[in-house]
């Protein structure tokens, strides 16, 4: 055979921007011209080939190969190869590979590659890699890549990345820069993962920003997973409209995860029906997350049987959340044994919230020893609720230090009630600074008790307020009063009483009465007593008696003493004596002493 020349034809240097990595894309000739002109071009090339034109033989063989006419292409390619055309040698290798003669194909690829064909070097490198000969594969792929062959650069990057070689990124970048969409996607994934590991190094020009650019480039070329990741980045940044467009693009191309994500985006926008449509599409394609979302949607609609069907579908798809959700569904229906069974299945698979739910179920059934290891497993796995529950468990046993350790762990993760417990523990220990810090966290998280405790802490520090004088301007509310009001607004009875007292001190009788009444109607003895005092001062003693009676019957000694005095003044000595007896029994000491003296006086009066 003649030595290959140095001709480079169209068929060696074509664009294969959308080639999948598993295809030997470089071995397929590129398209030339429109279909309408192809027949004429074939005829022209055939005449030239019959006249002995080597280039025409090579091109004609490539055109027939592209059309799938292997029998017609082979003699032309063999003739051109014999005449020294390296492009023909490469395409002859392609033909033989398609016929199933891989080893013979590799022989022709080697000849073309030695003669300088980058496409043949790429095909030969893929051949060696498929057979496990990585050194030979790397050699030929590197030859291809260094000659500027895009698919050679990508294949080399893939091989190096598989081996953990740091040089992989360089060649992946080369392929991406030359339009290889899979390379652009994989480069973006590498940069994305780097940004996740090194968030402090990210910025306007950091790995996350560059990753987004490559995702965008790959997505624009039709890469559905790149569109999915680009949508996720945009959604996280709050650019929901554009995120939705990329999710839609990816979902229409068959990416189930994008259909699922689009469903959540639509649900959050209030379009539940469209969300359900995309979830259904994703679930039917095997997306467990979408199946769980459908299950939750039907559960909210009061359709437990349909919900259970979708939760089971999620579990069948490999999503262990399906088992956890089945446990929740059974627990809501009172099917405790089945709930425990599903929780156990999810918990054994490592689902931390299922482990916590299982522990709660066992604890409710009185199995404390069985609950504790599941609480521990869930907490160690990162369940904030489980850490808090462990705190409750140890506190109930009197192991306060161990309880505090778990409360602090839950509080550090943002658990409001845990922060309250830590704050109260620090208060008991006399560490007001730490207590205030945790109480502020809990109060900010919505805990009414924490808001009240924080207010009392701040209240104890401030100097006594001067007595309000009639006509004097009302003073601005202090921070502690604002916290009292926040707690009161959330229904905290003691806070409501305190806000009422502060309003009364400012001379705002109407506001005081409103808060006292709210507390009293919620069952506060002090609220009822204070409301009675306020009404009595305003001249509404009959209504005051109603509230004092409610307070006294709930165990308020001062209210009982007030009732005894009212009845004594009215001449209702027996009733006065009864309430005096009640006040003496309830206390506190000074009330009990006064009530005893009044009772004795009324007894003497009655016996006189």
């Amino acid at each position: 055979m003649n030595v290959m020349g140095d001709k480079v034809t169209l068929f060696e240097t074509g664009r294969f921007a959308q080639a999948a990595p598993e295809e030997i894309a470089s071995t397929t000739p590129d398209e030339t011209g429109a279909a309408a002109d192809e027949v004429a071009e074939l005829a022209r090339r055939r005449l030239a080939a019959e006249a002995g034109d080597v280039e025409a033989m090579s091109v004609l063989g490539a055109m027939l190969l592209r059309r799938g006419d292997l029998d017609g292409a082979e003699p032309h390619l063999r003739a051109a190869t014999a005449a020294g055309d390296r492009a023909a040698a490469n395409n002859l290798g392609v033909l033989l590979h398609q016929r199933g003669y891989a080893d013979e194909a590799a022989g022709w690829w080697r000849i073309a590659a030695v003669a300088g064909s980058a496409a043949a070097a790429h095909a030969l490198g893929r051949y060696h890699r498929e057979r496990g000969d990585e050194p030979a594969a790397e050699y030929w792929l590197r030859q291809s890549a260094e000659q500027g062959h895009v698919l050679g650069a990508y294949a080399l990057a893939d091989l190096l990345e598989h081996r953990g070689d740091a040089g992989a990124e360089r060649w992946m970048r080369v392929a991406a820069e030359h339009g290889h969409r899979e390379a652009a996607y994989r480069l973006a994934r590498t940069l994305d993962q780097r940004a996740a590991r090194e968030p402090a190094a990210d910025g306007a020009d950091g790995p996350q920003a560059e990753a987004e650019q490559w995702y965008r480039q790959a997505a624009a070329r039709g890469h559905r997973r790149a569109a999915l990741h680009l949508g996720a980045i945009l959604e996280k940044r709050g650019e929901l409209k554009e995120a939705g467009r990329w999710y839609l693009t990816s979902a229409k191309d068959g990416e189930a995860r994008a259909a699922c994500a689009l469903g959540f985006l639509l649900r959050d926008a209030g379009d539940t029906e469209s969300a359900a449509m995309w979830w259904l599409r994703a679930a039917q394609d095997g997306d467990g997350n979408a199946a769980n979302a459908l299950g939750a949607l039907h559960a909210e609609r009061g359709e437990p049987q349909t919900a259970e069907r979708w939760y089971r579908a999620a579990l069948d798809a490999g999503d262990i959340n399906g088992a956890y959700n089945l446990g929740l569904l059974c627990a809501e229906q009172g099917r405790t044994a089945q709930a425990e069974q599903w929780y156990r299945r999810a918990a054994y698979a490592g689902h931390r919230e299922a482990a916590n739910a299982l522990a709660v179920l066992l604890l409710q059934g009185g199995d404390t020893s069985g609950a504790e290891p599941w609480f521990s497993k869930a907490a160690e796995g990162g369940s904030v609720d489980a850490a808090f529950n462990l705190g409750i468990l140890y506190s109930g046993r009197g192991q306060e230090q161990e309880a505090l350790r778990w409360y602090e762990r839950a509080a550090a993760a943002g658990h409001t009630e845990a922060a309250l417990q830590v704050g109260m523990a620090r208060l008991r220990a006399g560490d007001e600074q730490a207590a205030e810090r945790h109480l502020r966290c809990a109060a900010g998280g919505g805990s009414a008790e924490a808001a009240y405790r924080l207010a009392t802490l701040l209240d104890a520090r401030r100097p006594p307020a001067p007595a309000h004088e009639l006509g004097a301007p009302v003073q601005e509310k202090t921070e502690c009063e604002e916290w009292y009001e926040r707690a009161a607004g959330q229904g905290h009875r003691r806070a409501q009483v305190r806000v009422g007292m502060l309003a009364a001190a400012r001379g705002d009788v109407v506001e005081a009465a409103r808060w006292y009444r709210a507390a009293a109607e919620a069952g506060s003895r002090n609220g009822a007593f204070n409301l009675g005092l306020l009404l009595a001062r305003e001249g509404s003693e009959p209504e005051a008696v109603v509230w004092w009676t409610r307070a006294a019957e709930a165990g308020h000694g001062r209210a009982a003493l007030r009732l005894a005095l009212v009845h004594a003044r009215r001449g209702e000595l027996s009733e006065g004596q009864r309430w005096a007896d009640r006040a003496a029994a309830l206390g506190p000491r000074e009330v009990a002493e006064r009530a005893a003296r009044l009772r004795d006086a009324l007894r003497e009066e009655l016996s006189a």
Side-chain angles (χ1 to χ4, degrees):
M1 179 176 290
N2 297 330
V3 178
M4 295 288 105
D6 59 356
K7 296 179 184 178
V8 179
T9 73
L10 171 69
F11 307 105
E12 294 183 73
T13 58
R15 288 178 65 247
F16 296 93
Q18 296 186 8
E22 64 272 14
E23 297 173 343
I24 306 180
S26 65
T27 65
T28 303
D30 199 2
E31 292 185 358
T32 58
D37 300 327
E38 191 171 7
V39 174
E41 177 68 10
L42 274 170
R44 189 175 70 80
R45 294 288 184 181
R46 193 180 299 277
L47 287 172
E50 289 173 354
D53 188 319
V54 174
E55 182 180 357
M57 295 177 196
S58 178
V59 174
L60 178 60
M63 292 175 72
L64 293 170
L65 176 61
R66 186 190 63 225
R67 297 180 65 169
D69 185 359
L70 304 188
D71 291 335
E74 186 170 353
H76 295 293
L77 291 175
R78 285 190 180 276
T81 300
D85 190 293
R86 71 182 185 191
N90 175 52
N91 288 330
L92 180 58
V94 173
L95 186 147
L96 292 168
H97 189 273
Q98 289 182 11
R99 288 189 185 279
Y101 304 127
D103 293 340
E104 188 179 351
W108 291 111
W109 283 330
R110 183 180 297 277
I111 290 170
V114 168
S117 170
H122 168 249
L124 188 58
R126 294 300 302 268
Y127 167 83
H128 284 296
R129 187 173 181 190
E130 287 168 4
R131 279 149 184 76
D133 188 352
E134 289 195 0
E138 182 181 352
Y139 174 81
W140 288 112
L141 290 175
R142 194 175 292 279
Q143 293 293 316
S144 175
E146 288 176 349
Q147 291 179 66
H149 195 276
V150 177
L151 294 177
Y154 174 75
L156 176 60
D158 184 65
L159 175 63
L160 295 174
E161 188 175 85
H162 171 71
R163 294 212 308 245
D165 193 310
E169 185 176 332
R170 174 203 165 198
W171 289 109
M172 197 70 78
R173 189 179 295 276
V174 168
E177 288 171 349
H178 285 80
H180 194 292
R181 71 176 187 183
E182 184 67 22
Y185 169 71
R186 290 179 62 175
L187 178 59
R189 292 294 295 148
T190 299
L191 294 166
D192 209 353
Q193 290 162 4
R194 182 179 303 157
R197 292 192 304 269
E198 307 166 8
D202 200 6
D205 300 318
Q208 183 63 68
E210 190 182 359
E212 182 181 340
Q213 292 172 5
W214 288 114
Y215 279 137
R216 194 176 291 277
Q217 186 176 126
R221 289 188 168 91
H223 197 293
R224 68 188 193 187
R225 284 173 295 165
L228 167 67
H229 286 285
L230 179 57
I233 290 171
L234 293 165
E235 182 182 2
K236 187 177 180 180
R237 205 160 60 212
E239 298 176 25
L240 303 184
K241 191 173 181 179
E242 189 181 357
R245 287 200 300 269
W246 286 112
Y247 283 148
L248 180 61
T249 298
S250 181
K252 284 181 175 179
D253 285 341
E255 181 60 54
R257 291 175 296 170
C260 181
L262 181 59
F264 282 111
L265 212 58
L266 290 165
R267 182 204 63 182
D268 294 343
D271 190 353
T272 309
E273 293 305 316
S274 296
M277 180 190 74
W278 286 106
W279 283 334
L280 178 61
R281 183 168 173 173
Q284 288 173 339
D285 286 340
D287 190 283
N289 195 22
N292 273 315
L294 280 173
L297 183 63
H298 286 289
E300 289 171 6
R301 291 174 176 175
E303 302 168 355
Q305 290 183 332
T306 308
E308 183 170 342
R309 179 166 63 84
W310 282 113
Y311 288 149
R312 287 180 181 273
L315 189 58
D316 291 341
D319 192 329
I320 200 62
N321 284 310
Y324 173 59
N325 287 331
L326 281 167
L328 291 174
L329 190 66
C330 291
E332 288 173 3
Q333 296 173 336
R335 296 152 59 192
T336 307
Q338 287 175 285
E340 181 180 339
Q341 180 184 21
W342 288 117
Y343 285 150
R344 282 189 185 277
R345 180 167 176 176
Y348 277 120
H351 196 293
R352 65 191 187 192
E353 296 308 328
N356 179 58
L358 174 60
V360 170
L361 203 65
L362 294 170
L363 197 61
Q364 289 171 343
D367 187 1
T368 307
S369 60
E372 184 178 347
W374 285 113
F375 275 139
S376 296
K377 184 174 182 178
E380 294 295 349
S383 171
V384 180
D385 287 336
F388 177 67
N389 288 335
L390 271 176
I392 294 174
L393 195 67
Y394 285 117
S395 181
R397 294 175 180 171
Q399 297 173 257
E400 297 301 334
Q401 286 302 313
E402 189 67 12
L404 181 59
R405 184 171 73 87
W406 286 108
Y407 283 145
E408 286 178 334
R409 184 164 176 174
H415 196 288
T416 298
E417 290 303 313
L420 170 62
Q421 294 300 323
V422 175
M424 292 171 63
R426 295 304 180 202
L427 272 179
R428 290 192 296 270
D431 187 351
E432 287 193 3
Q433 188 174 4
E436 181 181 345
R437 186 174 68 253
H438 283 95
L439 289 174
R440 284 187 183 277
C441 289
S447 169
E449 182 66 25
Y452 173 73
R453 299 268 181 175
L454 176 60
T456 57
L457 182 64
L458 298 172
D459 204 359
R461 293 176 184 170
R462 66 173 182 162
H468 180 76
E469 296 181 5
L470 191 62
V474 177
Q475 297 176 352
E476 291 186 3
K477 294 177 182 178
T478 61
E479 185 189 5
C480 74
E481 190 167 354
E482 289 174 355
W483 284 113
Y484 278 135
E485 287 188 357
R486 181 180 293 196
Q490 293 175 264
H492 194 286
R493 293 182 301 179
R494 284 175 294 169
Q496 289 170 338
V497 173
R498 185 61 182 150
V499 171
M501 293 171 66
L502 291 169
R506 291 197 308 269
D508 191 345
V509 177
V510 174
E511 185 74 358
R514 182 172 75 86
W515 286 112
Y516 286 152
R517 190 178 298 276
E521 288 176 348
S524 168
R525 297 178 301 178
N526 286 331
F529 175 69
N530 287 357
L531 179 58
L533 288 177
L534 203 64
L535 291 167
R537 289 170 189 162
E538 294 296 312
S540 301
E541 188 176 86
E543 190 180 354
V545 167
V546 172
W547 290 106
W548 282 336
T549 302
R550 182 181 291 193
E553 287 175 346
H556 198 288
R558 294 183 188 278
L561 179 58
R562 286 279 176 173
L563 287 171
L565 291 168
V566 168
H567 287 292
R569 190 171 63 250
R570 292 176 180 176
E572 300 167 354
L573 304 184
S574 297
E575 191 67 9
Q577 184 179 351
R578 184 174 73 83
W579 283 113
D581 278 335
R582 176 79 170 157
L586 291 173
R589 188 177 66 180
E590 65 274 14
V591 170
E593 290 172 353
R594 287 184 62 194
R597 289 195 297 270
L598 177 59
R599 179 191 59 200
D600 294 341
L602 290 173
R603 185 179 294 130
E604 289 178 8
E605 186 72 18
L606 284 168
S607 62

